[in-house]
Amino acid sequence: VLSQKKMYRKYHSRPNFRQMKLENVSVALEFLDRERIKLVSIDSKAIVDGNLKLILGLIWTLILHYSISMPMWEDEDDEDVKKQTPKQRLLGWIQNKIPQLPITNFHRDWQDGKALGALVDNCAPGLCPDWQEWDPNQPVGNAREAMQQADDWLGVPQVIAPEEIVDPNVDEHSVMTYLSQFPKAKLKPGAPLRTKLNPKKARAYGPGIEPQGNVVLKPAAFTVETINAGLGEVLVFVEDPEGHTEEARVTANNDKNRTYSVSYIPKVAGLHKVTVLFAGQQIDKSPFKVQIGMALGDSNKVTAQGPGLELNGNVANKPTYFDIYTAGAGSGDVGVVIVDPQGRRDTVEVILEDKGDNVLRCTYRPLLEGPHAVHVTFAGTPIPKSPFTVNISEACNPNACRASGRGLQPKGVRVKEVTDFKVFTKGAGTGELKVVIKGPKGTDEPVKVRDIGEGIYECEYHPMIGGKYVVTITWGGYAIPRSPFEVQVGPEAGAQKVRAWGPGLETGVVGKSADFVVEAIGTEVGTLGFSIEGPSQAKIECDDKGDGSCDVRYWPTEPGDYAVHVICDDEDIKDSPFMAHILPANNESFPEKVKAFGPGLEPTGCIVNKPAEFTIDARAAGKGELKIYAQDAEGVPIDIQIKDNRDNTFICVYVPQKPIKHTIIISWGSVNVPNSPFRVSVGEGCHPQKVKVYGPGVEKTGLKANEPTYFTVDCSEAGQGDVSIGIKCAPGVVGPAEADIDFDIIKNDNDTFTVKYTPPAAGRYTIMVLFA
């Protein structure tokens, strides 16, 4: 009957003997064991012999399993059941069934009988509707009425007496046994259900009945809870300030607290009266007085625009603004909050100014660079596109800019020369570079500006007429230091008497000499002069080499750009002033320890069209870049091939093209090395085979004794070398042995020689011509 299953073995239906009874009990115990019902110290003999304690223990075990543990009750989760003991499960079900009372045990909480009335009424609403009014001093009477109703109409037999269940010392097992029948109890037809109403115990809560906060045309909602009020219908009526009454929409939620959701939409502003009825009577605090405000504006109709909302273009510490347009959006407050790159909402101060015609201007000054989020709300709701992302750039600081170059020098620039300069803006923040050049006629001159990266701009212009040029440079609309620059452009350069070249006209290092060479172009040198303009004064030395050239050195004491003026006869030579970028002192480079040697650097010994080689040893010179400057006496650059041995030694080779002076300057780490410049006199070489000898004095026949004769030696194509002449006569001409014959040599200007001699007698003569 309990398990709804058949026994696994047959049993005796009519046990007459003790052995039959023992077997029957054994079959039953075996069945319970297979059902995984734990039995302790119980055997068939104890049951047959009537051991009351063990028999009661067995019955309690069966109650726990079949009445409490095994059945599934409504409103239960199967997973939760597996985690609970039978006692916890039954207590949980009762607590869920009687939320009005704090039930935590199976003895003390049942002593006044009211809990039984609540349980019966919650299982069958109306069976004990007035249990809350029961007198707690009449516990037996309360328990008796509840248990009788449960017995009559829920099919719950009274397995315990009313007097026992209210006894403080009642056995918990007995109470649990009785209460375990309620979860599966079913109400019988014809039960005398009585409705007990208490409208004042219904309660309403929610924003829809709050005195403030509701607005026109927005749904106002609240909840009515009737769990303690009995059974009845909920009606809600809303009266507006003009006396019009409408019924609100009420929806039953069918939950354990018997709640109802109520909603209404006020159509006008002002004081509304909300009447809540339960079973036709006012609930507690009804009617509710609700002040309805004006309808909030529509944020979707609000727009905002202006430079302060642009993605790019705004800079730190500079005020910017945007306008907010609210026309047609209704009433509502405008709110602006700006979140900085660190996520803080209080670092950017916002000023809102009413400009009239439904326009508000928002002005703010961001302090940090980076992305900012501009949140704009209307009537508490974000407007379209809000939040706006605004990238704030570094503040514009034109004083951090600098400009230098030949094209900004006050003098030295000439007509039709390329005139260039650079503008350095790194660290100057965000801004737009603008370069304007006014020519001598007051008109704007064309200028090319090119961004070469890292905040550096190359600028170039071409003056076509002489006169004063004014170069104005601005960054972010503000002039940079020293701007405007005045440049006096001189006439086109004429024939030049000297030229200047070398590393000191391009670069150098603080504390080291910056060297260059000045060479005469023709025979006239003119009066030379030098001046250095830059961040510091620089001592200048000039060493005249006595060959139409001089070595010039200057010593800068501060890094930066220097203008080196080379002046001849009181005028800058072509390309002067030269712009030299002087670097800070370098403790890792030692150019004075570089050694340069080899035949290609010797003053003599190099011959035209033959490779000339030299070696550079920089192993003790630290870190540095090798650079070689080389020109011949005509100003033609010399191509020098450099082989890097990867150990700071270098093999250098060049092939002289003309037998003239070659000058070689070697620099390491932008500084001239010892003994540089090297001046190499390239020779033509020696070519005896190109000597030509001709004239009557060397003809095989036609000479007469004692008559003077001559011949010519032409060395014009033979290169460098001395000419030696020897003339001898054969034995027997003037004596028994060979004899030398006297002669005269006349040197001509065209590298030819005329040799004169007079044969003393007839015979054979031998003439030897030696070259080099």
Side-chain angles (χ1 to χ4, degrees):
V1 173
L2 291 176
S3 67
Q4 301 295 310
K5 296 180 181 178
K6 289 185 178 182
M7 300 293 282
Y8 294 112
R9 289 196 293 142
K10 291 184 179 182
Y11 60 93
H12 302 285
S13 57
R14 293 182 180 182
N16 296 320
F17 301 101
R18 174 180 173 82
Q19 187 60 35
M20 290 180 169
K21 296 176 182 178
L22 290 172
E23 288 181 5
N24 282 352
V25 175
S26 295
V27 171
L29 293 178
E30 182 183 336
F31 176 84
L32 294 178
D33 184 60
R34 291 193 181 187
E35 289 287 290
R36 299 184 183 276
I37 298 174
K38 189 175 182 181
L39 301 175
V40 180
S41 302
I42 298 178
D43 58 15
S44 56
K45 182 177 180 299
I47 302 299
V48 172
D49 290 344
N51 188 323
L52 183 62
K53 184 176 179 180
L54 291 181
I55 292 172
L56 290 175
L58 175 60
I59 294 173
W60 175 241
T61 300
L62 296 176
I63 292 172
L64 281 178
H65 184 76
Y66 288 108
S67 293
I68 300 177
S69 297
M70 197 174 74
M72 286 303 298
W73 302 331
E74 61 181 25
D75 301 329
E76 273 196 323
D77 189 331
D78 189 38
E79 290 299 320
D80 291 340
V81 170
K82 294 178 181 178
K83 300 176 184 177
Q84 295 176 326
T85 64
K87 182 177 180 180
Q88 291 172 335
R89 184 188 181 202
L90 180 59
L91 185 61
W93 182 88
I94 292 173
Q95 290 170 338
N96 188 56
K97 205 67 176 176
I98 318 175
Q100 305 96 322
L101 296 177
I103 304 297
T104 60
N105 55 66
F106 291 106
H107 45 89
R108 292 189 308 273
D109 293 342
W110 305 88
Q111 289 178 14
D112 61 4
K114 295 181 68 173
L116 282 171
L119 180 59
V120 172
D121 194 61
N122 278 280
C123 288
L127 208 53
C128 291
D130 52 356
W131 65 267
Q132 288 176 311
E133 281 74 40
W134 287 355
D135 185 357
N137 296 319
Q138 301 293 326
V140 177
N142 297 337
R144 181 176 288 111
E145 180 176 350
M147 294 175 72
Q148 190 61 50
Q149 294 284 31
D151 193 356
D152 293 343
W153 302 106
L154 293 175
V156 178
Q158 299 183 45
V159 297
I160 186 172
E163 292 81 5
E164 293 176 319
I165 201 167
V166 299
D167 188 330
N169 299 315
V170 67
D171 178 45
E172 272 196 341
H173 294 172
S174 300
V175 178
M176 289 176 63
T177 301
Y178 175 66
L179 296 177
S180 66
Q181 302 176 86
F182 279 90
K184 54 182 178 292
K186 300 294 182 182
L187 183 64
K188 297 178 181 179
L193 300 178
R194 295 170 292 125
T195 301
K196 176 64 175 178
L197 299 177
N198 191 352
K200 292 300 181 183
K201 292 197 174 182
R203 68 187 188 100
Y205 54 88
I209 53 173
E210 292 294 327
Q212 303 289 338
N214 293 285
V215 296
V216 172
L217 299 178
K218 292 285 186 179
F222 64 95
T223 301
V224 179
E225 182 183 292
T226 67
I227 183 63
N228 295 322
L231 297 175
E233 183 180 6
V234 174
L235 295 175
V236 178
F237 297 93
V238 181
E239 182 181 341
D240 65 22
E242 300 173 358
H244 300 121
T245 301
E246 289 189 4
E247 185 176 355
R249 183 164 60 89
V250 180
T251 304
N253 295 322
N254 297 319
D255 55 9
K256 66 179 182 179
N257 289 328
R258 294 203 288 271
T259 62
Y260 296 79
S261 295
V262 183
S263 177
Y264 65 97
I265 300 177
K267 297 180 175 57
V268 296
L271 186 63
H272 286 55
K273 186 168 66 173
V274 180
T275 300
V276 181
L277 302 177
F278 178 71
Q281 299 180 46
Q282 299 257 19
I283 72 167
D284 187 36
K285 298 181 182 179
S286 176
F288 299 88
K289 294 182 179 180
V290 181
Q291 185 67 41
I292 303 298
M294 289 295 296
L296 292 177
D298 185 357
S299 62
N300 290 320
K301 295 182 179 179
V302 178
T303 59
Q305 62 183 27
L309 295 180
E310 294 295 327
L311 181 62
N312 298 304
N314 293 287
V315 298
N317 292 308
K318 184 177 180 180
T320 185
Y321 73 92
F322 60 92
D323 292 330
I324 304 168
Y325 302 89
T326 63
S331 63
D333 293 329
V334 172
V336 178
V337 174
I338 300 178
V339 182
D340 70 15
Q342 298 175 357
R344 295 181 296 179
R345 307 169 71 90
D346 56 356
T347 59
V348 182
E349 183 182 1
V350 173
I351 299 175
L352 287 175
E353 178 187 1
D354 190 348
K355 306 294 287 185
D357 294 330
N358 296 304
V359 178
L360 282 87
R361 173 157 293 181
C362 175
T363 303
Y364 68 97
R365 184 167 68 92
L367 302 178
L368 303 176
E369 58 178 305
H372 286 59
V374 180
H375 296 261
V376 182
T377 59
F378 181 74
T381 306
I383 72 169
K385 300 182 182 179
S386 177
F388 300 84
T389 299
V390 180
N391 290 324
I392 303 299
S393 303
E394 186 181 359
C396 179
N397 182 13
N399 290 326
C401 298
R402 65 181 180 90
S404 67
R406 189 165 181 268
L408 300 178
Q409 295 303 308
K411 59 180 181 178
V413 177
R414 296 178 179 274
V415 168
K416 296 183 181 179
E417 291 181 348
V418 174
T419 314
D420 58 357
F421 58 92
K422 290 180 180 178
V423 181
F424 302 86
T425 66
K426 189 173 182 179
T430 302
E432 180 185 3
L433 177 68
K434 198 169 184 181
V435 180
V436 176
I437 301 178
K438 296 284 186 182
K441 296 181 180 180
T443 57
D444 288 349
E445 296 288 329
V447 58
K448 294 180 181 179
V449 179
R450 187 165 66 95
D451 185 352
I452 61 174
E454 297 188 357
I456 303 174
Y457 295 82
E458 285 186 343
C459 306
E460 183 180 300
Y461 66 100
H462 300 264
M464 302 307 292
I465 60 173
K468 184 175 78 172
Y469 288 71
V470 178
V471 181
T472 302
I473 304 173
T474 59
W475 179 252
Y478 298 94
I480 72 168
R482 298 175 57 200
S483 176
F485 300 83
E486 292 189 1
V487 181
Q488 189 66 39
V489 177
E492 189 173 355
Q496 298 291 295
K497 295 181 180 179
V498 297
R499 60 175 168 265
W501 57 281
L505 299 180
E506 298 176 1
T507 186
V509 175
V510 168
K512 307 283 187 181
S513 68
D515 302 5
F516 61 93
V517 171
V518 178
E519 295 177 326
I521 293 177
T523 55
E524 268 191 64
V525 176
T527 303
L528 291 178
F530 307 95
S531 69
I532 311 291
E533 298 173 359
S536 70
Q537 291 185 335
K539 183 180 74 171
I540 306 174
E541 289 185 357
C542 180
D543 181 13
D544 189 347
K545 307 307 290 185
D547 60 352
S549 68
C550 62
D551 292 343
V552 183
R553 300 178 178 87
Y554 65 96
W555 280 264
T557 58
E558 295 289 339
D561 293 329
Y562 286 72
V564 182
H565 291 267
V566 179
I567 300 168
C568 182
D569 294 336
D570 298 326
E571 285 189 0
D572 280 273
I573 69 171
K574 189 176 184 301
D575 298 327
S576 175
F578 301 87
M579 298 306 300
H581 183 64
I582 303 301
L583 303 171
N586 186 354
N587 296 325
E588 296 183 345
S589 180
F590 309 98
E592 67 275 6
K593 295 186 178 180
V594 174
K595 298 176 182 178
F597 53 88
L601 298 179
E602 295 296 326
T604 60
C606 291
I607 298 174
V608 69
N609 293 324
K610 288 195 175 183
E613 181 179 301
F614 60 93
T615 300
I616 299 173
D617 183 354
R619 287 176 292 185
K623 295 180 180 179
E625 179 187 3
L626 173 66
K627 194 167 183 181
I628 300 178
Y629 303 75
Q631 289 187 12
D632 65 20
E634 296 177 352
V636 177
I638 301 170
D639 180 24
I640 299 181
Q641 302 296 317
I642 303 174
K643 178 187 176 184
D644 187 348
N645 295 324
R646 304 297 179 186
D647 60 353
N648 265 16
T649 64
F650 306 85
I651 303 298
C652 306
V653 178
Y654 65 97
V655 179
Q657 301 297 311
K658 292 184 179 181
I660 55 179
K661 181 182 70 175
H662 287 50
T663 304
I664 299 172
I665 305 176
I666 302 172
S667 72
W668 180 261
S670 302
V671 178
N672 200 20
V673 305
N675 302 320
S676 175
F678 299 89
R679 291 173 170 84
V680 180
S681 180
V682 176
E684 293 181 300
C686 180
H687 309 287
Q689 70 275 14
K690 293 188 178 181
V691 176
K692 299 175 183 177
V693 181
Y694 55 88
V698 293
E699 296 292 333
K700 294 186 180 296
T701 59
L703 296 183
K704 294 180 180 179
N706 297 313
E707 287 188 4
T709 186
Y710 70 94
F711 61 89
T712 299
V713 180
D714 184 353
C715 301
S716 60
E717 297 180 1
Q720 294 177 324
D722 296 329
V723 174
S724 299
I725 306 293
I727 303 176
K728 291 185 177 183
C729 62
V733 175
V734 294
E738 263 186 347
D740 291 328
I741 305 299
D742 294 332
F743 59 89
D744 294 321
I745 297 180
I746 302 171
K747 187 177 184 310
N748 304 315
D749 289 338
N750 58 353
D751 285 336
T752 62
F753 300 86
T754 301
V755 182
K756 297 190 297 181
Y757 71 97
T758 300
R764 183 167 63 86
Y765 290 77
T766 302
I767 299 173
M768 291 184 297
V769 180
L770 303 179
F771 184 76

